[in-house]
Each structure stands twice: as C-alpha cells, then as structure tokens.
Amino acid sequence: MSDSAAAAQAADMASPGVSFPEALLKLLEGLEPDRPAPVAGEDGGTAAGPGEEAADYGQLAPVTGPRLGIGMDCCVIPLRHGGLSLVQTTDFFYPLVEDPYMMGRIACANVLSDLYAMGITECDNMLMLLSVSQKMNEKERERVMPLMIKGFRDAAEEGGTSVTGGQTVMNPWIIVGGVATVVCQPNDFIMPDSAVPGDVLVLTKPLGTQVAVNAHQWLDMPDKWNKVKLVVTREEVEQAYQEAMFNMATLNRTAAALMHKFNAHAATDITGFGILGHARNLAKQQRSDVAFVIHNLPIIAKMTAISKACGNRFGLLQGTSPETSGGLLICLPREQAARFCAEMKSCRLGVGAQLGQEGGTGEGQQAWIIGIVEKGSRCARIIDKPRIIEVPPRGSISGVQEGSNSSMNNTNTPSPSEMQSSAVN
C-alpha cells in the first residue's frame, strides 16, 4: 500500500463533515504541552512568571524565541544556548514505486522537504527508519534493502548531510522514512506565518503523483486499465510514472535557498493532505487575516484525463489528491514571484554551482504562480473552474493549459485582477 492509499483510507474514516487534516490536527493538539498564561503586572505589563521566579533559585529560566509546534512541517524549539533553535522533523510511509533505490531517494527527499519548507538549506544529521517485511525471503531482503538504504544515503549526501544511524525492525510491511535535525540561527529559517494580502502563491512541483503511480499499477490490471485506456496510452502512463518518480526524488533545496533571496513570507510542502489541505493548514498559521485563492493547477500531463475518466475518484481537481514528496507552496511578494520562478528554472545544482546559483551541470526546476493571497478568515479554496496546466514529461513540448492559449510556464507575474479574469474565461 502506498502512502497515498493510506491517506485515502484514513480520510474515509474521518467523521462526516470534518476534513481529515482538521480531525488529525485536533487529535495532535493533545501532544502540545500546557503553557502557563502570562501574569499581568501592576503597570499593565507582564509580571514575572513562575519560570522567572524559578531562575532566582538557580533553576533554568524560560527559553524565549520563535516556537513552532504541532500542525506544521517541523517543530522549532528554542534552545538554552546563544539564541539557537532546534528544528526537527520525521516522516515515513509505505513504498509506492517499484525501484527500491528510487524509493530510498524519495523517502529522504520527503523528510528533508519539511526543513526546506522553513527555508532551511542545511541539515546537521539524518536518521533512517526502515521496516523490513516479514513476507520477504532472505534473497529478496538482500537485494532490495541495500538499494533502498543506498538511495536514502545518496539523497542525504546530495542535500549536504549524512545518515548517522536510525532504527530497523521486522514488520508485515515495508516502511521507509527518517528523521532530519538541524540547529539554526534565527535568520536561517523562515517562520510560516507572515503572508499578507497582495502576496501570490507559487508551487515548485506539479501535482498528480498519486494518479501517475496508480495508473502505472493499472497497466497490469485489465479491469481498471479498461476504464482509462480511451484517454491515455500505455506509453503516456509510463512517461507520467517516470516523471512523477523523478519529481518525488528531487530535493526542494533550491526553492528553500531562493525563499530567502526573494523574501518569502510563508511556505509548506505538499504531501498527504493534497494541495488544498496543506494550503488550508498554512492559512490557519498566518498572523494576518488572509485567504489563499488557487486559480491554477499544474498537473503531470494526462493525469487530469485519467482522473476524470475515473469519476474524479482521486480528488485531483478538487485539490485533495495526496502527493508524495511534493513541491513547496510559497507565499511571495507579488513583485518577486516572477523572478523567483525564472531563477528556479535557471538554477543548477551540480559540479561548479553553489546552491541557488546559476552554472553547474544539473537541470533547473519549473515553478508556477498558482494563486493569490487576499484578505480573509485564514482559509483556502480553489476556484470553481481552475486553469489546468498540463506539465509534460522532460524533453516534451511546452505545457498546454485548458481554457487558455497562453502558457503559465512563462514568468510574467499576473496581477490579482488578471487572476480573477482568467478564472472567468
């Protein structure tokens, strides 16, 4: 079972009228420690609290600094030493691609992506979590598990970090994931809470990984393949699957570096809750009264047609289709968004290139302006008829939009009025 399938099953178990992300986050609130409320002083300010009194008796004073707990991509914990913060995340899931080496890379990229969503480009340490299936014989374990470990380790090294340990267990199912940890200065990370009306939303990877993975499995399942074979060829499914696998294994490290350069106000990575679920969660974290409005959906080519042929069973056009190791959803100042997208495309991560700089041998990444931030009640929505941007496999012709003759692959920043106009057409 893939993590996408697990998310879908969990969503089915959520109570009626409550979205699964909201139900889960409500349960997780129980993990948050109780914090004493500030005590009012005689002058109207805050009086010394219990922690400060304890400091007089030689105990540790309360630690101040940015803190991020349950609900977002990482925990941010202020440390007692020199204004530093511990930033940490963990994630794991079931395999969803056939290549064990690529699965290892995808798992590592997925863990690191939580740090990248905070604008953090360096990771001090990683641990790997690996569950070996009891159903595999010794020969299968000796072939598959080393490849998965190598893929995880190679992706960690690409991200400038290393794997120093972890945990391995026997289990009915294969599970792979990890833990990423870094100690940061305050200017090393961007708290995901500063979006303001007038910002625009940028996405750094196309949607549709769940559909691509499932469609690839259906090639050997005649009853399911017959439902979609009129809208897609086997070759197109293979190409989409390879594209999805490549995207999932690609680190979001370049985008994290550019978040600082272009003054990003907030970000999250798109994974199991789909783009709408994560957009809603990010909107709730904002200090300003804002709403995120999504007008454009970049989707791997042909995945929209497959989703429609299946009666929209994936929720792809509704923004609820789970993704794995998806792109970053970033709130950027409107005047910076086009330059961010252009630099994403021109950046290379390879020999001779610094992170976030041009040059080197790597391949640039696409990014798309997909929506706007307006005044609202900390919510998010997709317009009734979003523009679908068909993102072709690498080496194909440029993407095609439904309902438009122009291409959003360019870097012209649309104004909010232009966004609204395009939504009506």
Side-chain angles (χ1 to χ4, degrees):
M1 180 189 296
S2 70
D3 65 322
S4 301
Q9 284 190 2
D12 290 339
M13 294 187 291
S15 59
V18 180
S19 70
F20 178 63
E22 294 173 354
L24 179 58
L25 292 173
K26 189 171 182 64
L27 288 172
L28 292 177
E29 287 176 0
L31 295 175
E32 286 277 27
D34 294 328
R35 305 190 189 283
V39 181
E42 294 180 0
D43 60 352
T46 302
E52 290 167 290
E53 294 174 359
D56 293 337
Y57 295 93
Q59 298 179 22
L60 290 172
V63 181
T64 60
R67 179 181 291 271
L68 190 64
I70 302 299
M72 286 306 295
D73 300 299
C74 298
C75 65
V76 178
I77 307 298
L79 299 178
R80 296 184 295 273
H81 312 291
L84 300 173
S85 293
L86 174 72
V87 183
Q88 192 169 58
T89 183
T90 183
D91 208 342
F92 59 89
F93 47 66
Y94 303 100
L96 69 163
V97 299
E98 297 172 350
D99 185 329
Y101 175 80
M102 289 300 291
M103 191 61 243
R105 290 193 68 100
I106 291 168
C108 184
N110 189 63
V111 175
L112 287 172
S113 197
D114 289 336
L115 296 184
Y116 298 148
M118 300 283 296
I120 296 170
T121 60
E122 305 298 331
C123 176
D124 289 332
N125 183 60
M126 291 197 77
L127 304 176
M128 185 177 186
L129 306 176
L130 184 62
S131 167
V132 182
S133 174
Q134 297 166 333
K135 299 178 182 179
M136 301 173 70
N137 59 43
E138 185 175 352
K139 184 177 181 180
E140 289 172 334
R141 287 197 297 268
E142 289 177 352
R143 289 181 59 192
V144 172
M145 293 303 149
L147 288 172
M148 202 172 287
I149 293 171
K150 177 173 171 52
F152 193 98
R153 184 188 64 205
D154 287 354
E157 291 178 356
E158 182 182 323
T161 187
S162 59
V163 182
T164 61
Q167 182 71 36
T168 305
V169 298
M170 296 292 291
N171 199 54
W173 314 278
I174 296 176
I175 300 175
V176 59
V179 180
T181 304
V182 62
V183 175
C184 292
Q185 299 279 358
N187 60 353
D188 290 336
F189 60 90
I190 299 171
M191 292 294 285
D193 60 3
S194 300
V196 295
D199 284 352
V200 297
L201 304 173
V202 169
L203 182 66
T204 65
K205 289 184 185 179
L207 307 171
T209 55
Q210 182 202 29
V211 184
V213 167
N214 279 268
H216 187 258
Q217 294 172 350
W218 294 349
L219 292 176
D220 298 322
M221 304 168 68
D223 57 328
K224 294 189 176 181
W225 174 248
N226 289 339
K227 295 179 181 179
V228 300
K229 67 181 183 180
L230 296 179
V231 300
V232 66
T233 66
R234 286 180 172 269
E235 182 183 5
E236 288 169 334
V237 169
E238 287 285 358
Q239 290 176 341
Y241 173 73
Q242 293 296 325
E243 180 70 11
M245 187 163 56
F246 182 89
N247 285 331
M248 290 186 288
T250 299
L251 302 183
N252 283 316
R253 198 180 183 202
T254 301
L258 296 180
M259 283 171 60
H260 291 271
K261 181 174 182 178
F262 294 103
N263 193 30
H265 291 157
T268 188
D269 65 327
I270 307 303
T271 52
F273 295 151
I275 188 167
L276 184 58
H278 286 286
R280 285 173 171 167
N281 193 29
L282 183 62
K284 289 178 181 178
Q285 300 291 327
Q286 303 312 303
R287 291 178 292 173
S288 300
D289 294 331
V290 296
F292 298 166
V293 184
I294 297 172
H295 295 79
N296 306 313
L297 295 175
I299 297 175
I300 297 171
K302 294 296 181 176
M303 297 305 100
T304 300
I306 291 177
S307 183
K308 289 179 178 179
C310 296
N312 288 323
R313 61 172 288 183
F314 297 101
L316 182 60
L317 302 184
Q318 291 73 38
T320 57
S321 180
E323 305 290 335
T324 298
S325 189
L328 300 187
L329 177 66
I330 307 173
C331 302
L332 286 165
R334 185 172 59 186
E335 65 275 10
Q336 301 278 29
R339 293 171 55 213
F340 176 96
C341 293
E343 195 146 336
M344 278 287 293
K345 187 65 176 174
S346 64
C347 279
R348 302 289 187 268
L349 285 181
V351 178
Q354 296 284 332
L355 180 63
Q357 294 183 359
E358 296 183 8
T361 59
E363 192 174 311
Q365 294 176 243
Q366 285 183 289
W368 301 267
I369 298 169
I370 66 164
I372 58 176
V373 179
E374 61 185 25
K375 190 171 179 60
S377 55
R378 297 186 180 88
C379 58
R381 65 183 177 89
I382 299 175
I383 63 171
D384 290 339
K385 294 181 180 180
R387 178 177 293 169
I388 307 303
I389 305 169
E390 289 271 310
V391 181
R394 284 159 179 73
S396 302
I397 59 173
S398 60
V400 177
Q401 296 181 34
E402 291 187 4
S404 173
N405 294 323
S406 61
S407 173
M408 276 294 293
N409 291 337
N410 62 47
T411 56
N412 293 326
T413 307
S415 68
S417 61
E418 289 171 335
M419 281 275 195
Q420 297 289 358
S421 175
S422 69
V424 176
N425 292 337

